[in-house]
Amino acid sequence: MIALDAFWTDRRAAGLALAARLRELHPDPAGSVVVALPRGGVVVAAEVARALRLPLTTWSVRKLALPTQPEIALGALAPGAVILWDPHTAWMFNEHPVLRDQVIEREGKELERRRLLYGDADPSALHGRQLIVVDDGIATGLSVRAALISLQALGPDRLVLAVPVAARQSLPALRELVDELVLLAAPDDLVAVGLHYGRFDPVDDAEVLDLLRLQAAIATT
């Protein structure tokens, strides 16, 4: 584990550092699949997959938030009808069930759009495999936990979560869901994931698709 004030120039640099750590822990990861959580996680995961010569796929997950405060995660939605709520803020939706249902419906449509656009893995292709789940960082952990619960239901042989940075308070709940947690930094006072990157630009659909196509082409050579 590197210093807790770790700082990377961008997501690609973090991906290379994460790949190096994974290679130390697993010198022969043959048979594993790198599963990226879109969108930002795809940039990190692409570097991991390329460095370790592993196939790359995506597994979409959506944050649930109030329309007026989209930056505050109140819950998360993942394939398989997995819905998690933050126990400290769930009352905001519980007091307004119509709004809650509207948010779930809207984010469910966006989740399905991304799954189809990115070509998320067929569940049967992940069954019995070691899955290395990669994101660009974890603050509350709601979205990642929802994704891990969703992936657990597929019956993987082993579930590994690999991220450059995660808030220390999120780790106990994450460790309960995986066989292994690989981290480069775990600050006590993580304010925002982006503060650990020199550049943390938004990632759009076009960049995700370009990275997936590039890795697919590399895998066939």
Side-chain angles (χ1 to χ4, degrees):
M1 184 179 292
I2 66 177
L4 297 186
D5 60 348
F7 188 83
W8 303 280
T9 55
D10 55 21
R11 290 182 180 91
R12 293 178 187 274
L16 289 172
L18 191 59
R21 179 61 177 148
L22 283 163
R23 192 184 292 111
E24 291 176 2
L25 297 170
H26 303 282
D28 183 15
S32 300
V33 178
V34 177
V35 181
L37 303 185
R39 295 176 176 139
V42 178
V43 184
V44 179
E47 297 299 333
V48 171
R50 188 174 302 122
L52 301 184
R53 302 183 179 221
L54 294 175
L56 172 66
T57 190
T58 52
W59 196 255
S60 298
V61 63
R62 292 294 295 162
K63 177 173 67 175
L64 298 174
L66 291 170
T68 55
Q69 295 178 300
E71 72 284 354
I72 301 176
L74 304 181
L77 176 67
V82 174
I83 300 178
L84 288 185
W85 297 106
D86 183 334
H88 303 293
T89 56
W91 61 269
M92 296 185 189
F93 277 139
N94 291 335
E95 290 188 354
H96 303 281
V98 173
L99 176 60
R100 177 194 61 206
D101 293 345
Q102 289 174 344
V103 169
I104 292 174
E105 181 181 6
R106 183 186 70 238
E107 296 306 331
K109 289 179 179 178
E110 175 62 13
L111 177 68
E112 187 61 19
R113 184 194 74 83
R114 292 190 182 197
R115 282 175 54 78
L116 293 173
L117 179 63
Y118 303 155
D120 282 11
D122 186 283
S124 62
L126 302 181
H127 177 78
R129 305 286 294 275
Q130 173 167 280
L131 308 181
I132 302 174
V133 183
V134 178
D135 203 356
D136 55 10
I138 299 171
T140 67
L142 281 169
S143 295
V144 174
R145 283 166 52 206
L148 292 172
I149 292 169
S150 177
L151 289 166
Q152 274 185 334
L154 307 183
D157 177 62
R158 200 161 182 269
L159 202 53
V160 178
L161 176 61
V163 290
V165 59
R168 187 172 294 278
Q169 61 267 29
S170 72
L171 301 186
L174 293 171
R175 286 198 171 100
E176 292 180 359
L177 298 173
V178 296
D179 298 292
E180 183 179 5
L181 178 58
V182 179
L183 281 172
L184 301 183
D188 292 318
D189 55 351
L190 188 146
V191 177
V193 169
L195 295 179
H196 284 263
Y197 292 83
R199 292 187 58 183
F200 200 68
D201 299 332
V203 178
D204 59 20
D205 287 342
E207 184 174 359
V208 169
L209 294 174
D210 284 346
L211 288 167
L212 293 173
R213 281 192 290 263
L214 177 59
Q215 187 57 28
I218 291 173
T220 58
T221 59

